[in-house]
Amino acid sequence: MRTSAEPSMAAAVPASAEPVSHDTPAPPGGPPGGRDRWLDLWRAAALVRVVTYHVLGWIWLTVLFPAMGLMFALAGSLMAGSLDRTGGKAVGRRLRRLLPPLWGFGAVAVTLLLVTGWRTAPGAALGWGELAWWIFPARTPPVGDQPWAWAWNVVLWYIVTYLWLVLLSPVLLAAFRRWPWYSLAVAVALPIAFRFDVVNIGGYFNEQALNVSTYLACWMLGFAHHDGLLRRIPARRYALGVGLLAVTGAGWVLAVGWSTGNYDLNRIAGGNTLWSMAFVAAVLRFRPRLDWLARLRLLDRLVALLNARAVTIYLWHLPLAVVAGALIAPLAVSGWVQTVTVRLAAVWLLVAVAVALFGWIEDLAARRRPALLPAGVGRSRRRPATAAPSGRGAAAGVPAAVAGPAPAGPPPPAATRTALPAVAPPAVTRTAPAVAARTAPAGSVRRWHRAMAATVAVLAVGLGVMALNLWPGVTTRSQAQPAPPEVTYHLSDLPMLVDGDSERPSPAPATGSAPGSVTVQGQVYPRAVLTAAPGRVRVQPPAGCERLQAVIDVGADDVEVAFAVRADDVTVFESGVRSRADTAEQIDVVIAQASVVDLVTSSSSGGAVGVWADPRFVCAS
């Protein structure tokens, strides 16, 4: 599963941030045509956080600011509003907003990859047919074998997950409105069940099922936000509930990080869902005034621009980060601050160019006139809408994520809905905020909301500090608890799918050698897999496998062979061209949570043989 794995420039680890749109109306009480600046600000911050993480690889950002959960929640709220207004047509509208920018990105990506040498068919079941996922991304689209190819598809898991949640939303919203809290409880339990193998889907869409389960609860929390259910909960109960959820989620993340040394939220199934939900719930309820944002015109316009072109920024930032890294590599940049500044500046400069070249596709997808700068970004706007102080009927606001406008506040009366009239809960009424306001003094409500926000903020900073290993006198990993024992599975013992003339070692080896053994430069390896280049061996690693270890060598004189390892169609190792004269190389490749692993050999010479001596998976017990 590549759940929310967010790759940095240094490592192809799957990732985070989310495309959003820019046409959300203001909450009730705001000026016509205004916007919910509180949610705008969070969306913009989430996008900046994602780009920063991918460029610099700062793991601590994932626990300090779980951007993915927030963006899925905002998207879920907007989806509920669209379904209320247009029924099943909302699904088509979302796809119309999502797919054209992806098609433009994919046209450039696939063309570039083919021109630069992508000749090997994707290793997944459909072969070259996997390219269809660039048109309708129900799975992560494939890329080529080039060392940099991963940058073009590794973050697209978000697009795939969003697509599945959109397609499922009519059913999910009907179930939620019939059994709101039971549905939310099931959504919370689902990733935990996956984590402990209570539920195991497997198969071709296993990765997509895991990603959907991870963020389904946040998506449904967006439903609750749209329907006004969150505002109906008294402030004291809400704050205590969020605090309990935050402590549980943060404790789970801390326990995993303490035992493994890895605080990457995207690698902590279950804990990711709980911590993200606590963070999201606090953001959706705690709503301070933002009058100051209108006075900072440059920042105000930047926030609007990030929201207006978020799809383009999200799609293009990682390939451009790789380009930026190559461009600044020859520069004599010294010092931590200078290096960070130069890298971020280079990436954002290239992203600005991509926005200028391709951002207009978002306008076409939204059926607007294409423009270099979206409407409202390049000119001063009226005083922005601000939410009422928390606890006094604060408007829910409406997030925007890859889609059009949505109404703020509770859903319209059943008579005005175009879909799902039978499942609208009668308890959700327009007077809900007023009822909540009468049950507690405004000052008490604000105090509970501030306490809730402070609790989540303190826990977030604490997790970030632990991930940085900066807590005074405390390491980020338990010294008393030994690392979990590892189990080794030899590749030769596992079922394999072989392409070309690849084969296992001969069952009748040379006299004097053990069955299945090979000798590589004088050393005998008891197990091996030989690949006739060009060829590929595909295997499904056992659960919990983190690494693939092997010794690679060329099996004949006067030939050249290139070795590669691909995890879920993402190249995670490439040897370059090797000959018999090269020394055998020991490799140790990270393939964590991969559904399938391919051992690929390629050669321009006839009769070439690639030797994978003693290949084995190293897995947690």
Side-chain angles (χ1 to χ4, degrees):
M1 177 181 76
R2 290 203 295 261
T3 301
S4 330
E6 304 170 351
S8 68
M9 290 175 62
V13 184
S16 177
E18 305 68 30
V20 294
S21 81
H22 65 285
D23 49 3
T24 308
R35 296 177 46 83
D36 187 340
R37 306 304 288 154
W38 175 244
L39 297 182
D40 275 356
L41 194 60
W42 276 107
R43 282 191 296 268
L47 191 56
V48 172
R49 195 282 275 171
V50 169
V51 174
T52 303
Y53 174 81
H54 290 168
V55 174
L56 303 176
W58 289 345
I59 293 294
W60 55 272
L61 284 174
T62 65
V63 291
L64 180 68
F65 182 4
M68 292 305 302
L70 176 63
M71 296 312 300
F72 276 113
L74 299 184
S77 179
L78 184 59
M79 189 66 199
S82 292
L83 287 170
D84 283 339
R85 292 195 312 278
T86 62
K89 294 180 181 179
V91 173
R93 293 179 64 241
R94 291 310 159 86
L95 298 183
R96 191 193 74 219
R97 297 291 297 271
L98 175 68
L99 295 180
L102 175 67
W103 293 340
F105 175 77
V108 175
V110 174
T111 300
L112 179 63
L113 290 164
L114 291 174
V115 168
T116 56
W118 184 11
R119 298 293 182 267
T120 304
L126 301 182
W128 287 112
E130 296 286 324
L131 290 174
W133 304 128
W134 280 106
I135 300 173
F136 191 80
R139 268 174 53 99
T140 302
V143 292
D145 301 327
Q146 298 91 323
W148 43 268
W150 59 268
W152 291 92
N153 78 336
V154 75
V155 300
L156 296 185
W157 71 269
Y158 168 79
I159 302 294
V160 175
T161 305
Y162 177 86
L163 175 71
W164 277 104
L165 287 170
V166 166
L167 295 175
L168 293 171
S169 279
V171 174
L172 292 175
L173 184 61
F176 176 80
R177 285 180 170 165
R178 187 176 181 88
W179 307 286
W181 302 119
Y182 290 114
S183 299
L184 198 56
V186 170
V188 172
L190 192 57
I192 299 175
F194 271 111
R195 166 62 182 83
F196 293 103
D197 290 327
V198 177
V199 176
N200 188 2
I201 293 180
Y204 188 60
F205 289 105
N206 180 64
E207 178 188 341
Q208 289 68 45
L210 293 176
N211 288 338
V212 168
S213 74
T214 298
Y215 294 104
L216 176 60
C218 290
W219 189 268
M220 285 191 165
L221 199 62
F223 290 169
H225 168 253
H226 171 268
D227 284 0
L229 296 183
L230 301 184
R231 300 195 307 280
R232 293 175 55 234
I233 303 174
R236 178 173 176 270
R237 293 182 183 178
Y238 192 92
L240 291 176
V242 170
L244 178 62
L245 191 63
V247 170
T248 304
W252 189 322
V253 174
L254 180 62
V256 173
W258 186 257
S259 61
T260 65
N262 184 2
Y263 283 82
D264 187 351
L265 186 64
N266 304 300
R267 298 291 183 181
I268 306 175
N272 183 350
T273 298
L274 297 178
W275 175 237
S276 295
M277 284 191 66
F279 190 95
V280 168
V283 167
L284 295 180
R285 183 75 178 245
F286 181 72
R287 305 176 59 82
R289 301 188 66 87
L290 293 178
D291 303 82
W292 55 270
L293 184 59
R295 296 191 292 270
L296 302 175
R297 291 189 177 183
L298 181 60
L299 178 60
D300 189 37
R301 292 177 182 179
L302 180 60
V303 168
L305 179 61
L306 289 171
N307 278 272
R309 290 291 186 255
V311 179
T312 302
I313 294 171
Y314 180 75
L315 289 172
W316 286 93
H317 77 274
L318 191 55
L320 294 178
V322 174
V323 173
L327 292 176
I328 66 178
L331 301 179
V333 180
S334 60
W336 180 83
V337 174
Q338 292 87 342
T339 301
V340 168
T341 302
V342 169
R343 292 176 69 180
L344 288 175
V347 171
W348 280 108
L349 181 61
L350 292 177
V351 167
V353 174
V355 168
L357 293 176
F358 303 103
W360 56 270
I361 300 178
E362 293 193 60
D363 292 329
L364 288 181
R367 296 181 178 175
R368 297 188 298 263
R369 183 185 299 275
L372 182 64
L373 284 178
V377 173
R379 63 178 183 272
S380 298
R381 293 177 294 178
R382 290 168 289 184
R383 181 175 180 266
T386 55
S390 182
R392 286 186 275 180
V398 182
V402 197
T416 66
R417 294 181 186 169
T418 58
L420 306 175
V423 297
V428 180
T429 67
R430 296 182 181 275
T431 61
V435 172
R438 290 196 300 268
T439 60
S444 174
V445 168
R446 288 196 295 272
R447 284 194 296 272
W448 279 109
H449 286 169
R450 289 169 182 167
M452 170 191 67
T455 299
V456 173
V458 168
L459 290 172
V461 172
L463 289 175
V465 170
M466 291 298 291
L468 278 168
N469 198 19
L470 292 180
W471 200 282
V474 179
T475 64
T476 61
R477 181 168 180 168
S478 171
Q479 301 302 309
Q481 182 174 352
E486 294 180 335
V487 177
T488 299
Y489 296 91
H490 289 278
L491 189 71
S492 57
D493 295 335
L494 300 173
M496 288 185 279
L497 175 66
V498 179
D499 285 350
D501 296 326
S502 306
E503 59 182 19
R504 298 175 186 241
S506 169
T511 303
S513 64
S517 67
V518 297
T519 301
V520 176
Q521 297 185 354
Q523 183 172 350
V524 177
Y525 293 90
R527 302 165 183 265
V529 172
L530 307 183
T531 305
R536 177 197 62 152
V537 172
R538 161 160 288 198
V539 64
Q540 290 184 331
C545 292
E546 300 286 332
R547 306 193 312 278
L548 169 69
Q549 297 176 344
V551 174
I552 57 174
D553 193 32
V554 179
D557 295 330
D558 301 325
V559 296
E560 294 181 337
V561 178
F563 296 81
V565 177
R566 308 187 73 201
D568 289 335
D569 294 326
V570 175
T571 300
V572 293
F573 168 78
E574 189 169 51
S575 69
V577 177
R578 299 175 58 85
S579 68
R580 189 66 169 168
D582 293 316
T583 304
E585 179 182 354
Q586 173 75 49
I587 65 171
D588 192 335
V589 182
V590 176
I591 49 89
Q593 301 183 16
S595 301
V596 293
V597 174
D598 295 317
L599 282 63
V600 181
T601 51
S602 56
S603 175
S604 58
S605 306
V609 175
V611 177
W612 302 84
D614 199 23
R616 58 196 180 277
F617 290 106
V618 180
C619 316
S621 63

